[in-house]
């Protein structure tokens, strides 16, 4: 038995349309008359649009489908296209080589930008402006050095490297103190948030006040709870209890007979 595997079939030119579209295009190429080829080509174009609906989001997607039809036929299909017929030169472009810049950097930890700044400073004729540029370049060199080497660096080393890079044309006086420049951005987690937190805190405080004034106590953090008697009600009960007890004592005292009279009668 002979089995038909995909590995033994011809390679698909545009695999997203499948094997059936490839076979139909090959059949259209074998038709003798141009009228038949145009008729079948229109049917295949409609089917290709159904198989790939995402092409409808592309501007002028019909033109794209007709170009794909020519690509599937390996540019052998002779039909009347409503668009300019695609050719192998117009579709297949040779990739141009992108040249990568190669610079011979003397001190790679300073970078190529420092050398460009030194060349720019050498062309400045104004002496005060040139001195300011040299100090700025030296400070930048110190920052770049510390970026790659976390240990402390002496200003004499930076000044010596500046002399070597400039061909001993840019110098700084002895005792020059360079400043360390740090260009750091705060991490995302430490960014200060807007005033939404204060509002939420105010809302929480107001909610807690409302809950305490309403006299309800929640259980387990849920929304339902049992009514809780407020302190005012408890105080009122206590006062009433004290007043009732005092009234009862007064009534008992009134009902008692005087002890002296009773003793006199017995005597």
């Amino acid at each position: 038995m002979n089995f038909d595997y995909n590995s033994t079939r011809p390679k698909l030119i545009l695999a997203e349309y499948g094997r059936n579209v490839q076979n139909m295009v090959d059949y259209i190429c074998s038709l003798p008359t141009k009228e038949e080829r145009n008729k079948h080509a229109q049917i295949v174009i409609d089917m290709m649009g159904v198989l790939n609906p995402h092409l409808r989001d592309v501007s002028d997607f019909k033109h794209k489908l007709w170009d794909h039809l020519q690509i599937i036929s390996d540019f052998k299909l002779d039909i009347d296209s409503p668009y300019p017929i695609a050719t192998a030169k117009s579709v297949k472009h040779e990739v141009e080589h992108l040249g990568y810049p190669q610079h011979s950097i003397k001190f790679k930890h300073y970078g190529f930008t420092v050398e460009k700044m030194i060349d720019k400073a050498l062309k400045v004729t104004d002496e005060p402006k040139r001195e300011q540029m040299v100090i700025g370049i030296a400070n930048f060199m110190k920052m770049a050095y510390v970026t790659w080497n976390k240990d402390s660096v002496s200003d004499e080393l930076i000044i010596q490297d500046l002399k070597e890079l400039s061909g001993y044309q840019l110098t700084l006086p002895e005792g020059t103190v360079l400043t360390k420049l740090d260009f750091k951005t705060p991490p995302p987690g430490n960014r200060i948030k807007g005033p939404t937190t204060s509002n939420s805190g105010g809302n929480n405080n107001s909610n807690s006040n409302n809950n305490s004034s309403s006299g309800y106590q929640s259980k387990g953090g849920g929304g339902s709870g049992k009514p809780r008697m407020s302190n005012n009600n408890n105080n009122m009960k206590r006062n009433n209890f004290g007043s009732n007890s005092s009234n009862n004592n007064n009534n008992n005292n009134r009902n008692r007979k005087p002890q002296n009279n009773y003793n006199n009668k017995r005597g």
Side-chain angles (χ1 to χ4, degrees):
M1 296 178 66
N2 295 326
F3 295 97
D4 189 12
Y5 294 102
N6 288 329
S7 58
T8 59
R9 296 176 181 178
K11 184 179 179 180
L12 292 175
I13 299 176
L14 292 179
E16 58 267 23
Y17 291 103
R19 178 71 59 181
N20 293 328
V21 174
Q22 181 74 50
N23 294 334
M24 286 187 288
V25 173
D26 294 339
Y27 173 75
I28 294 172
C29 293
S30 63
L31 294 176
T33 61
K34 200 170 190 178
E35 295 180 357
E36 292 179 353
R37 291 196 295 270
N38 292 334
K39 181 179 179 180
H40 288 79
Q42 186 61 49
I43 297 173
V44 174
I45 288 292
D46 296 337
M47 185 178 295
M48 290 168 63
V50 174
L51 293 176
N52 287 330
H54 65 277
L55 291 178
R56 297 179 182 179
D57 299 334
V58 181
S59 60
D60 200 4
F61 74 101
K62 281 288 186 181
H63 192 182
K64 180 76 68 176
L65 292 176
W66 284 97
D67 291 344
H68 288 177
L69 182 63
Q70 290 293 335
I71 294 172
I72 292 172
S73 66
D74 198 12
F75 306 100
K76 298 176 182 178
L77 187 59
D78 183 14
I79 56 174
D80 294 332
S81 175
Y83 302 98
I85 297 176
T87 59
K89 293 182 179 180
S90 62
V91 174
K92 298 180 181 179
H93 301 282
E94 295 182 359
V95 179
E96 297 180 0
H97 177 69
L98 297 177
Y100 191 81
Q102 297 291 336
H103 301 294
S104 58
I105 304 174
K106 189 173 183 179
F107 297 110
K108 295 185 182 298
H109 53 276
Y110 293 128
F112 184 70
T113 305
V114 172
E115 296 183 3
K116 292 176 66 176
M117 289 191 295
I118 290 173
D119 294 337
K120 186 72 174 178
L122 290 173
K123 297 178 182 179
V124 177
T125 57
D126 189 5
E127 193 65 25
K129 185 177 180 180
R130 186 175 180 178
E131 291 179 358
Q132 294 178 359
M133 292 181 66
V134 172
I135 294 175
I137 293 171
N139 290 328
F140 182 81
M141 290 172 63
K142 185 175 182 179
M143 184 269 297
Y145 189 96
V146 175
T147 301
W148 296 103
N149 188 2
K150 299 301 180 182
D151 297 334
S152 60
V153 57
S154 60
D155 296 342
E156 290 78 7
L157 178 62
I158 300 296
I159 295 172
Q160 183 63 30
D161 292 344
L162 178 62
K163 291 180 181 179
E164 293 183 12
L165 290 174
S166 62
Y168 293 91
Q169 298 183 22
L170 300 178
T171 59
L172 289 174
E174 296 182 0
T176 303
V177 179
L178 301 177
T179 59
K180 180 183 176 182
L181 302 177
D182 293 332
F183 297 97
K184 295 181 180 179
T185 56
N190 293 337
R191 294 176 182 174
I192 300 174
K193 296 182 179 180
T196 56
T197 56
S198 61
N199 293 334
S200 62
N203 293 332
N204 292 332
N205 293 332
S206 62
N207 292 332
S208 62
N209 293 331
N210 292 333
N211 292 332
S212 61
S213 62
S214 61
Y216 283 90
Q217 181 180 7
S218 60
K219 291 180 63 178
S224 62
K226 294 182 178 179
R228 183 183 62 184
M229 301 301 294
S230 61
N231 294 329
N232 295 329
N233 295 331
N234 294 330
N235 293 330
M236 292 175 64
K237 282 187 174 183
R238 291 174 182 175
N239 294 331
N240 293 331
F241 178 78
S243 61
N244 292 331
S245 61
S246 61
N247 293 330
N248 293 330
N249 292 330
N250 294 329
N251 294 328
N252 293 330
N253 293 329
R254 288 177 183 177
N255 295 325
R256 287 181 179 178
K257 294 182 179 180
Q259 187 70 19
N260 294 330
N261 297 333
Y262 177 78
N263 293 329
N264 294 327
K265 289 182 180 182
R266 289 183 63 184

